[in-house]
Amino acid sequence: MCKMRVVVRREMLGAREQAWSVWNGKEVMEYTGNQIKGMLKSDQKVCGLTMKDNELVPDAERFFTTNIMEHRYCGNYTPMIESEGVTANVFYIVIGSHEEKGVTYYDCISTKFEQTSFEQSDVKAYIKLGIISGGARLGADDKIELASLEYGKAEEAKQTEKKETVGKKK
């Protein structure tokens, strides 16, 4: 598995975009919009964002991103897509799940970089309220669907095949 890149929030200076804060599983890295566009154009996965008309937009189709938090200045957090009913100043992004004693917990990272886990009932409620902004959605049967954090397994298989082919030629 390649290392994941999950967009946590957009850093702003007033109305001007400065960077995107991206969680890689261990730490938060900051990338400019052009760096992320370059990654997406070279088929590297950046969970939470996609390109539309050469602009970065939330990836609602593959990572189920409904909104992204913007950090405008000290202590000011505003949703990128302003909509009625969302009054949260913190969003959670689901980055996985695990089971403890028969109970499923969903691992999340917040837009303030807090790592936490929620039970299934909490996750369902937070998705309905818009507090979970990506990584999971409710399916038609009210079950939680998780988005994939793994980069194209087919690409990894091709790279493995190339290495094996090169090794056989020697």
Side-chain angles (χ1 to χ4, degrees):
M1 180 176 130
C2 293
K3 96 179 157 181
M4 67 173 151
R5 289 188 197 101
V6 179
V7 172
V8 176
R9 69 183 186 202
R10 183 179 181 193
E11 304 292 339
M12 304 289 285
L13 182 60
R16 192 173 72 177
E17 176 185 302
Q18 292 294 305
W20 294 85
S21 295
V22 178
W23 172 251
N24 70 8
K26 295 180 183 176
E27 62 185 343
V28 176
M29 306 286 293
E30 289 189 346
Y31 295 97
T32 65
N34 287 335
Q35 287 174 313
I36 291 179
K37 286 178 186 178
M39 285 185 241
L40 292 172
K41 286 178 183 175
S42 66
D43 292 328
Q44 295 180 39
K45 188 172 180 183
V46 180
C47 299
L49 287 176
T50 190
M51 285 185 31
K52 184 178 180 181
D53 299 327
N54 206 29
E55 293 295 320
L56 295 173
V57 295
D59 186 0
E61 187 177 312
R62 289 178 288 161
F63 197 68
F64 316 136
T65 305
T66 56
N67 211 336
I68 296 174
M69 190 62 72
E70 291 182 344
H71 183 219
R72 294 207 172 260
Y73 53 86
C74 196
N76 184 309
Y77 295 89
T78 308
M80 186 171 144
I81 301 167
E82 294 181 24
S83 60
E84 292 182 33
V86 178
T87 58
N89 67 354
V90 65
F91 285 150
Y92 290 93
I93 299 103
V94 178
I95 57 173
S97 66
H98 68 278
E99 200 169 300
E100 289 180 20
K101 299 179 183 176
V103 178
T104 303
Y105 290 93
Y106 293 86
D107 305 317
C108 299
I109 185 162
S110 78
T111 51
K112 296 181 181 178
F113 310 121
E114 170 198 13
Q115 292 182 43
T116 189
S117 296
F118 297 115
E119 289 185 21
Q120 189 171 4
S121 60
D122 293 336
V123 170
K124 286 181 180 181
Y126 292 162
I127 290 172
K128 290 175 183 175
L129 291 171
I131 295 171
I132 289 185
S133 65
R137 71 177 173 192
L138 289 178
D141 54 353
D142 205 37
K143 287 191 175 184
I144 298 171
E145 294 178 41
L146 292 181
S148 173
L149 292 172
E150 295 183 25
Y151 296 47
K153 289 183 179 179
E155 292 175 18
E156 288 180 14
K158 287 179 188 176
Q159 291 175 355
T160 305
E161 287 175 17
K162 286 180 185 178
K163 287 179 185 176
E164 289 175 359
T165 307
V166 171
K168 289 179 183 176
K169 290 180 181 178
K170 290 183 180 179

